[in-house]
Amino acid sequence: MKPTLVILAAGMGSRYGGLKQLDGLGPSGETILEYSIFDAIRAGFNKVVFIIRPDFAAEFKRQIGEVVARYVEVGYVFQTIDRLPAGWAPPEGRTKPWGTGHALLTAAPEVHAPFAILNADDYYGKEAFEVMATFLTEVDPATPSYAMVGYQLANTLSEFGSVSRGICEVDAHGYLTKVVERTAISRIGGEIGFDEQGQRTLLSDDTLVSMNFWGFTPGVFPLANGFFEQFLKEKGSQPGSEFYIPTLVTQALQTAGASLKVLRSEASWFGITYQEDKAMAVAKFAELCEKGIYPVQLWT
């Protein structure tokens, strides 16, 4: 069974200052997510599902969807604030959806095979898609066997501001034992750390982090739905609360007998969190094309 690729493309891009999902960065105006789709297709994925917002759906389909639909099956789902389990409604004053775990749940109607899910605004490297495709092709779809691609923290920072990362702990056999989402990670005075409740905690350069490149079997959806309902009971009334994929992964490992293999690869990673990151990304894609890793015109 060939795997599906799910792309998280509903973000607001508030720190970037616009819709980075649609910003052209390649030599011929390609977006970052187009490089992910290109890598996924040549690794063996046969369907792409976009998680987007209704307010830019028409432009997204015109610029991205119609192009890649010539090469792979395409599906769309909307992440909106009212996409909640039966019996639940958004609390008064809530203005935005519920985070990446909520986004994953919205994809369920379009996903019927083992799947990978990742960010639209991050470049993961073709090797990452190859190792993930191998895992998803070989995994038993009936089991709660999951995977993620791991990166070294020092290779994932932005020069222009702090970032959020899933900090991972792995056992001797390469399986994830815990992942915790940390925000406001930055390098100050040569040392990497994050600030939480007024205290700074230092992290080593080679700390293993998740860059939100996960692999799941379809059985994750009912599990995640149950975890999300529990989250809504405990934190749903908090205006800024979010249900992250690392949160549901941790719960699945602790309570549902799931396992998650950390797939290490030599792939490079970069993203566009801030507008200042754009020039770096443009230069990176130009270099990758010069090396022959990608054609200058991606879809010719």
Side-chain angles (χ1 to χ4, degrees), residues 77-101:
V77 294
F78 293 139
Q79 185 186 12
T80 55
I81 191 173
D82 58 347
R83 291 290 300 273
L84 295 173
W88 290 91
E92 185 177 353
R94 181 86 190 191
T95 60
K96 67 175 185 176
W98 306 85
T100 56

Side-chain angles (χ1 to χ4, degrees), residues 55-76:
D55 58 294
F56 64 79
E59 177 64 14
F60 188 95
K61 291 178 180 180
R62 184 194 65 80
Q63 183 175 331
I64 306 295
E66 293 176 7
V67 174
V68 302
R70 300 198 301 264
Y71 304 91
V72 67
E73 182 183 353
V74 172
Y76 300 93

Side-chain angles (χ1 to χ4, degrees), residues 15 153 157 161-167 180-187 192-201 203 209 240 242 244 246 274:
R15 289 181 291 181
L153 176 58
L157 301 179
S162 62
V163 297
S164 298
R165 298 288 181 258
I167 305 299
V180 178
E181 188 78 6
R182 298 298 186 189
T183 59
I185 299 174
S186 60
R187 188 185 291 276
I192 301 174
F194 64 91
D195 299 306
E196 190 174 83
Q197 298 180 344
Q199 182 176 352
R200 186 161 180 83
T201 301
L203 299 166
V209 297
E242 293 198 34
Y244 295 113
Y274 300 93

Side-chain angles (χ1 to χ4, degrees), residues 111-135:
V111 176
H112 310 289
F115 68 99
I117 183 168
L118 48 72
N119 296 333
D121 53 352
D122 291 340
Y123 174 80
Y124 293 95
K126 72 182 186 69
E127 300 91 342
F129 288 89
E130 292 166 355
V131 295
M132 182 60 79
T134 297
F135 174 86

Side-chain angles (χ1 to χ4, degrees), residues 2-8 33-41 44-51 72-75 107 110-111 113-119 124 129 132 136 212-214:
K2 290 191 174 183
T4 294
L5 177 65
V6 178
I7 298 181
L8 297 158
L33 67 87
E34 287 180 84
Y35 286 95
S36 290
I37 296 166
F38 186 88
D39 286 335
I41 292 172
F45 290 77
N46 70 348
K47 183 178 181 178
V48 177
V49 177
F50 297 109
I51 303 174
V72 67
E73 182 183 353
V74 172
E110 286 286 339
V111 176
F115 68 99
I117 183 168
L118 48 72
N119 296 333
Y124 293 95
F129 288 89
M132 182 60 79
L136 294 174
N212 239 24
F213 191 163
W214 304 93

Side-chain angles (χ1 to χ4, degrees), residues 6-8 51 79 98-107 115-119 124 146-148 166 176 178-181 210-216 220-221 223-224 227-228 231 242-253 260:
V6 178
I7 298 181
L8 297 158
I51 303 174
Q79 185 186 12
W98 306 85
T100 56
H102 175 228
L104 179 146
L105 280 168
T106 67
F115 68 99
I117 183 168
L118 48 72
N119 296 333
Y124 293 95
Y146 311 143
M148 60 159 276
L176 187 73
K178 186 178 182 181
V179 58
V180 178
E181 188 78 6
S210 161
M211 299 310 301
N212 239 24
F213 191 163
W214 304 93
F216 297 103
V220 75
F221 291 118
L223 272 180
F227 297 148
F228 187 42
F231 165 85
E242 293 198 34
F243 180 62
Y244 295 113
I245 289 176
T247 302
L248 75 86
V249 165
T250 299
Q251 290 178 282
L253 296 180
L260 190 142

